[in-house]
Amino acid sequence: QQQVKQSPQSLIVQKGGISIINCAYENTAFDYFPWYQQFPGKGPALLIAIRPDVSEKKEGRFTISFNKSAKQFSLHIMDSQPGDSATYFCAAKGRTGRRALTFGSGTRLQVQP
Amino acid sequence: GAGVSQSPSNKVTEKGKDVELRCDPISGHTALYWYRQSLGQGLEFLIYFQGNSAPDKSGLPSDRFSAERTGGSVSTLTIQRTQQEDSAVYLCASKEYLGDEAFFGQGTRLTVV
C-alpha cells in the first residue's frame, strides 16, 4: 500500500519534444503528490506538486496531470531541453500514517540536442 | 539562506567498521528525514523525526542502523558493523512542521570495501 510505481525507467527525447513520466499509487490516504528532479551528485529538488482536489497543475513547461479514480499521475515536460536531462522521481505522502514521502523508482531522462 | 548540509560528502570504510553520518537541517525546520539511495534506485525511507515526538523508525533495515537528533536540530545516522550492501548515498531532508516541501542535502556517498 505504500508503493508508488513509476515508469519508464529511462527516457530519451529529442530537444523540443514532450517528455512524459507516469506514476501509480495504491494508498488512497495519499494527498500530496510531488515530483522531484535530481542532477548527478546533487540531492533531489522539488519541481512541482499537486493535491488530489485538482486534475492538473502547470508551472512553466512542467505539468502534472492527476487522475484520482485511476490513482495515477504523470509529469509532462513540454519543449524539453538538454538542461532538463536528469533523474525524475514521483512521490506521495498522506496526512496520517507514515508522514514521510514514498518515492517512485525514478526515471532517467536524456534530452538530445 | 543555508540549505541542508550533510557531512562527510564521501566516506569509504572497511567492512565491519562503524560509521556516523551527519545532517544539519535548515534552521527552524522541525521535521527531518533520512533516506537511502542505492545505485540507480529510488529513495528508500529510513527514519523520520518530528519535533519532540518519538521518531518513526519503520524504515530502518536492521538493528545495525540507528539515528538520533539532538536538541531538535542536528541528526546523526549511525551504521554499525558495516556491510557491503550498505554502500549507497544517504540523503537527509528537512521541512517545516506544517509545510509540504522537503529540502534535501547533497547526500553522503558511503562505500564499504
Side-chain angles (χ1 to χ4, degrees):
Chain A
Q1 276 245 318
Q2 287 293 341
Q3 275 191 322
V4 177
K5 296 181 179 180
Q6 183 172 346
S7 64
Q9 192 171 20
S10 64
L11 182 61
I12 299 176
V13 173
Q14 296 296 316
K15 178 182 176 181
I18 302 174
S19 305
I20 302 174
I21 305 170
N22 301 297
C23 283
Y25 64 97
E26 295 181 355
N27 189 343
T28 55
F30 286 150
D31 69 347
Y32 175 68
F33 302 89
W35 285 89
Y36 277 78
Q37 180 187 56
Q38 185 179 32
F39 293 104
K42 303 292 186 182
L46 179 66
L47 185 63
I48 186 172
I50 197 169
R51 291 201 174 276
D53 54 344
V54 296
S55 60
E56 185 175 284
K57 183 174 182 180
K58 183 177 180 179
E59 290 184 0
R61 296 185 294 109
F62 302 92
T63 300
I64 298 180
S65 296
F66 186 83
N67 186 330
K68 188 175 181 178
S69 61
K71 292 186 284 186
Q72 295 175 347
F73 58 111
S74 60
L75 175 69
H76 292 63
I77 305 175
M78 311 300 289
D79 187 25
S80 299
Q81 300 296 313
D84 297 331
S85 297
T87 299
Y88 292 81
F89 294 95
C90 62
K93 180 170 72 70
R95 293 201 177 275
T96 59
R98 177 180 288 176
R99 300 296 302 279
L101 288 166
T102 298
F103 283 85
S105 55
T107 296
R108 180 171 292 184
L109 171 66
Q110 182 180 346
V111 181
Q112 294 185 332
Chain B
V4 177
S5 178
Q6 292 188 245
S7 60
S9 297
N10 286 281
K11 176 72 176 179
V12 180
T13 189
E14 292 181 351
K15 178 181 175 181
K17 299 285 189 181
D18 297 352
V19 295
E20 287 189 351
L21 311 180
R22 177 186 170 103
C23 173
D24 282 272
I26 293 172
S27 178
H29 282 192
T30 58
L32 186 148
Y33 308 83
W34 283 98
Y35 286 86
R36 177 169 71 175
Q37 185 174 26
S38 301
L39 186 63
Q41 300 297 310
L43 281 73
E44 175 190 6
F45 167 75
L46 296 177
I47 189 168
Y48 163 57
F49 295 91
Q50 173 56 63
N52 296 319
S53 302
D56 176 355
K57 303 179 182 180
S58 60
L60 294 178
S62 77
D63 58 9
R64 297 187 295 105
F65 288 72
S66 63
E68 63 177 22
R69 188 178 185 190
T70 54
S73 181
V74 172
S75 177
T76 302
L77 177 68
T78 301
I79 309 173
Q80 295 178 314
R81 307 181 300 281
T82 51
Q83 304 295 312
Q84 287 187 331
E85 60 263 29
D86 299 334
S87 296
V89 175
Y90 289 82
L91 290 160
C92 175
S94 71
K95 77 173 186 69
E96 296 177 340
Y97 175 56
L98 294 178
D100 287 317
E101 182 176 357
F103 295 82
F104 282 83
Q106 83 282 6
T108 293
R109 181 176 297 278
L110 174 67
T111 303
V112 182
V113 297

